[in-house]
Amino acid sequence: MKTILAPFVLCAAIGAAVAPTVQAQTAPAVASADQLHAMAKRFAPVELRADVAHLSKGDRAAIAKLIEAAKIVDTLQLRQRWAHNEALWNALRKDTTPLGRARLDAFWLNKGPWSNLDNNASFMPAEYAGIRIPAQKPEGANFYPQGATKASLENWMNGLAPEQKKEAQWFFTVIRTGPDGKLRTVKYSEEYRPELEQLAKLLREAAAATDNASLKKFLNLRADAFLSNDYLASDFAWMDLDAPVDVTIGPYETYNDELFGYKAAFEAYVSIRDPQETAKLDFFGKHLQELEDNLPLDKQYRNPKVGAIAPMVVVKLFSSVRSFSSS
């Protein structure tokens, strides 16, 4: 579930679907090439296809820019998961041995040296190319200073003024150690400035290309949000998106922050809406409130207005970059 009110999106294809009935195991301390291949087989690769022939020339041009933007999100995704992810990725790319190729594939599948299906245990040696690799994925990912404990961070946050504490716990900030050795809050717009400037440029170029007013509005507002760190207006525009090209791009899910669950990870989906399949969901859309009202929950936990905030669409994906859950 996204941290904001998001539409239900039923994907016609996904990039890597987890095979059913997968049981979490313990990844080998240092996995061999054969073990890594066996671990990868628990995922079912699916080829992403989407017909763009019916789209306008402007929308096809916008898609090209959006896929380029999604590739930048790859970089942000790696960096947010671990401070040394990019260095490790670059080192693995230079290893042309069979084991090196298997490690590279496993790294990209998991967006790091820890297996998502094996309780976030490392499949790499404790040190590789001069990079020390923890046996378990750090709970705070790269949202907090390396080695900072939950207790020490809570103690620091509790000592802040109310507005400063709210900022420290906000979705779109990281905590860093300043030159003076003290903790400080840094906005995403500052922490990831070079990449966000590139993203903003690409989104504005996509907005200029498309002839759809709602997509143009969302892309321009999201470009502004990347640089201002204020995502509210673009989130509302995203909810109102009614275009053949459907895009989700920005910081959404918070489960990569396993320390507090505060910080949102960047992700991107570029897809095309399927109006015929979406029309088939109209029946369910009309009865969402009825379904909600009959959930086996106490009334206080049911949403009395779910039908008005949960549009349902079917999309065909051809580019997807997102964070992984450890569950």
Side-chain angles (χ1 to χ4, degrees):
M1 184 185 298
K2 289 182 171 61
T3 45
I4 65 169
L5 300 176
F8 292 108
V9 178
L10 304 183
C11 299
I14 57 175
V18 180
T21 66
V22 169
Q23 296 295 322
Q25 305 167 7
T26 301
V30 182
S32 67
D34 288 342
Q35 288 172 319
L36 289 171
H37 291 317
M39 291 162 64
K41 287 181 180 179
R42 294 176 295 176
F43 291 84
V46 178
E47 185 177 1
L48 299 176
R49 290 180 175 272
D51 182 9
V52 299
H54 65 287
L55 297 179
S56 69
K57 181 179 179 180
D59 280 347
R60 291 198 298 271
I63 285 173
K65 294 294 182 182
L66 292 173
I67 291 176
E68 193 176 342
K71 293 177 181 178
I72 296 174
V73 175
D74 274 331
T75 300
L76 293 176
Q77 176 67 212
L78 290 179
R79 191 178 307 161
Q80 286 189 306
R81 288 179 69 82
W82 188 42
H84 303 292
N85 247 353
E86 290 167 280
L88 181 56
W89 168 247
N90 289 329
L92 285 169
R93 291 169 67 185
K94 299 174 183 177
D95 188 342
T96 58
T97 66
L99 177 56
R101 296 297 88 188
R103 284 173 170 170
L104 183 70
D105 290 343
F107 177 99
W108 190 246
L109 183 63
N110 292 279
K111 296 298 186 289
W114 305 281
S115 174
N116 292 291
L117 297 184
D118 301 297
N119 300 314
N120 285 328
S122 173
F123 50 79
M124 293 285 293
E127 185 170 332
Y128 180 87
I131 303 168
R132 296 187 62 82
I133 303 172
Q136 293 287 140
K137 175 181 174 291
E139 290 185 334
N142 192 23
F143 299 116
Y144 308 96
Q146 200 168 359
T149 65
K150 186 172 184 178
S152 66
L153 290 165
E154 284 181 329
N155 184 61
W156 171 71
M157 291 178 188
N158 289 334
L160 298 173
E163 282 302 312
Q164 292 176 318
K165 182 177 180 180
K166 181 180 178 180
E167 189 79 3
Q169 296 175 338
W170 187 234
F171 298 127
F172 314 126
T173 63
V174 294
I175 308 303
R176 295 290 179 252
T177 303
D180 57 0
K182 297 181 180 179
L183 296 176
R184 65 189 184 99
T185 301
V186 181
K187 295 178 179 179
Y188 280 8
S189 54
E190 179 183 343
E191 178 75 4
Y192 311 119
R193 172 66 62 171
E195 289 79 15
L196 293 182
E197 287 179 344
Q198 293 178 59
L199 282 174
K201 179 177 181 291
L202 287 167
L203 262 59
R204 290 193 178 105
E205 290 173 352
T210 182
D211 45 19
N212 181 277
S214 67
L215 180 58
K216 189 183 296 287
K217 178 180 179 180
F218 166 68
L219 293 175
N220 280 320
L221 287 174
R222 183 49 52 108
D224 293 342
F226 285 146
L227 303 182
S228 70
N229 217 52
D230 184 353
Y231 287 84
L232 187 59
S234 61
D235 282 337
F236 282 123
W238 182 54
M239 291 292 296
D240 293 334
L241 189 61
D242 183 15
V245 177
D246 200 295
V247 57
T248 298
I249 187 165
Y252 289 101
E253 309 282 8
T254 63
Y255 44 60
N256 270 346
D257 177 3
E258 297 181 76
L259 203 59
F260 292 102
Y262 292 154
K263 308 305 180 182
F266 279 89
E267 61 184 78
Y269 298 92
V270 183
S271 53
I272 297 175
R273 291 196 180 188
D274 188 325
Q276 292 182 335
E277 293 299 321
T278 297
K280 297 177 183 178
L281 296 178
D282 285 348
F283 172 82
F284 297 100
K286 293 174 181 177
H287 294 277
L288 280 178
Q289 189 62 61
E290 183 180 350
L291 291 170
E292 180 78 11
D293 292 343
N294 285 279
L295 287 174
L297 300 171
D298 190 279
K299 186 176 181 180
Q300 64 177 315
Y301 300 118
R302 299 177 194 154
N303 190 333
K305 296 181 180 179
V306 68
I309 62 172
M312 301 174 71
V313 298
V314 176
V315 299
K316 293 183 178 179
L317 281 175
F318 53 94
S319 181
S320 176
V321 181
R322 70 164 296 166
S323 52
F324 287 89
S325 170
S326 59
S327 59

